């Protein structure tokens, strides 16, 4: 990337994300030939069920040296493609933030402060909501990328969503999402080159494990109003507590447009 030529691109994993209506039948993917990436997640009041899994052979076949991951999302038009990069230790956050304020079309991305991201599913659920709004003609923000950032919020205050979930001059780690469609033609190679030329930081695989190193759980609990839940605080196993927190976050996002 620009400003740090010593950084080598990190490999990324291709994982198919499926965001399904509640009444969609899903078989039990528990055979030896498949590996479940995450448990089925749902919320009692949510209209979404998210189930992410990938056969081991798919992981091996799609490993690459690219710094971006291209992720197809089911139940949206196939010509809408999501490209994601995770950049840690970003050195020019103030510059990138200013490009958004200036509405520079060359920097039309969803730039998410990784401190408020809890998982891949969290980001891809917001991407699904944003693409769906674009296709339906129901965008509440100027474009699909700003819609994605707003979709991370559990409230309808768009300006607040930008401040809380979007990049700021003080952002340390950033998740970059580019959604391409027939009206937005850059190829994956073009997107990757633009990132290399303009984002100064350390490319990092877009995995739950990498995201977890950036998550500020105190901030997440504050923004999603998850403080003061005695039953949640009583969970001693940290992994189980974080899984429950992720489920609550996804439910809060879904309730916003329920």
């Amino acid at each position: 990337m620009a400003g740090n030529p010593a950084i080598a691109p990190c490999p990324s994993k291709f994982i198919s994300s499926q965001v399904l209506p509640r009444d969609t039948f899903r078989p039990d993917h528990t055979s030896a030939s498949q590996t479940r990436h995450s448990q089925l997640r749902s919320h009692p009041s949510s209209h979404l069920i998210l189930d992410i899994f990938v056969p081991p052979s798919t992981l091996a076949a799609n490993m690459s040296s690219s710094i971006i991951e291209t992720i197809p999302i089911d139940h949206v038009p196939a010509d809408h493609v999501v490209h994601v990069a995770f950049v840690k230790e970003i050195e020019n956050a103030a510059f990138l933030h200013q490009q958004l304020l200036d509405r520079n079309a060359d920097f039309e991305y969803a730039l998410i402060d990784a401190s408020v991201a809890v998982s891949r599913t969290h980001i891809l659920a917001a991407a699904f909501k944003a693409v769906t709004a674009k296709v339906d003609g129901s965008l509440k923000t100027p474009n699909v990328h700003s819609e994605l950032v707003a979709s991370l919020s559990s409230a309808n205050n768009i300006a607040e969503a930008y401040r809380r979930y979007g990049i700021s001059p003080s952002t340390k780690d950033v998740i970059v999402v580019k959604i391409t469609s027939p009206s937005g033609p850059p190829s994956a190679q073009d997107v990757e080159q633009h990132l290399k030329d303009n984002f100064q930081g350390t490319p990092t695989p877009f995995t739950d494990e990498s995201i977890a190193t950036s998550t500020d759980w105190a901030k997440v609990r504050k923004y999603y109003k998850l403080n003061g839940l005695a039953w949640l605080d009583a969970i001693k196993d940290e992994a189980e507590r974080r899984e429950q927190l992720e489920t609550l976050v996804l439910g809060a996002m879904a309730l916003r447009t329920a």
Side-chain angles (χ1 to χ4, degrees):
M1 286 195 175
N4 200 342
I7 296 174
C10 295
S12 62
K13 296 180 180 179
F14 173 105
I15 296 182
S16 175
S17 172
Q18 299 188 349
V19 186
L20 307 175
R22 175 173 290 280
D23 58 356
T24 300
F25 172 76
R26 296 289 293 148
D28 182 17
H29 299 283
T30 55
S31 67
S33 63
Q34 293 176 315
T35 299
R36 180 170 293 278
H37 180 68
S38 67
Q39 291 184 328
L40 189 68
R41 297 181 176 89
S42 64
H43 186 276
S45 301
S46 170
H47 295 296
L48 302 179
I49 293 179
L50 297 100
D51 186 19
I52 299 179
F53 70 95
V54 59
S57 58
T58 303
L59 286 176
N62 290 282
M63 291 290 286
S64 74
S65 60
S66 175
I67 66 170
I68 68 170
E69 181 179 353
T70 299
I71 307 173
I73 297 182
D74 287 354
H75 306 286
V76 300
D79 53 8
H80 286 68
V81 181
V82 177
H83 308 287
V84 185
F86 186 17
V87 185
K88 301 198 70 170
E89 301 172 4
I90 192 75
E91 298 174 3
N92 61 336
F95 166 78
L96 297 171
H97 180 249
Q98 189 61 48
Q99 303 316 301
L100 297 184
L101 294 179
D102 293 343
R103 298 191 177 184
N104 185 340
D106 291 339
F107 288 82
E108 189 177 310
Y109 296 98
L111 301 181
I112 303 159
D113 190 317
S115 67
V116 293
V118 303
S119 67
R120 285 173 59 96
T121 301
H122 184 205
I123 303 304
L124 296 178
F128 171 80
K129 291 178 67 177
V131 173
T132 300
K134 177 179 181 293
V135 172
D136 291 346
S138 58
L139 289 175
K140 297 177 181 177
T141 69
N143 58 64
V144 70
H145 298 98
S146 55
E147 191 78 13
L148 191 159
V149 175
S151 294
L152 289 166
S153 179
S154 60
N156 289 313
N157 188 322
I158 294 172
E160 180 182 81
Y162 292 165
R163 290 194 300 270
R164 288 184 169 185
Y165 304 98
I167 193 172
S168 73
S170 61
T171 293
K172 302 300 182 186
D173 305 330
V174 63
I175 296 172
V176 185
V177 184
K178 180 71 172 181
I179 298 172
T180 59
S181 65
S183 60
S187 67
Q189 292 76 16
D190 292 336
V191 173
E192 180 171 17
Q193 189 58 54
H194 190 262
L195 294 182
K196 288 180 177 179
D197 291 343
N198 294 283
F199 287 68
Q200 298 172 7
T202 304
T204 304
F206 179 56
T207 64
D208 287 342
E209 292 76 14
S210 295
I211 293 169
T213 64
S214 298
T215 305
D216 182 336
W217 284 104
K219 189 186 295 185
V220 169
R221 293 187 67 159
K222 176 183 177 181
Y223 289 171
Y224 287 98
K225 297 180 172 58
L226 300 177
N227 288 318
L229 299 177
W231 67 268
L232 185 64
D233 296 331
I235 299 175
K236 302 302 182 183
D237 183 84
E238 183 176 351
E240 181 183 353
R241 185 169 63 252
R242 290 188 176 186
E243 183 176 323
Q244 291 294 332
L245 279 165
E246 181 188 7
T247 299
L248 291 170
V249 166
L250 294 172
M253 287 172 56
L255 281 171
R256 173 176 173 261
T257 53

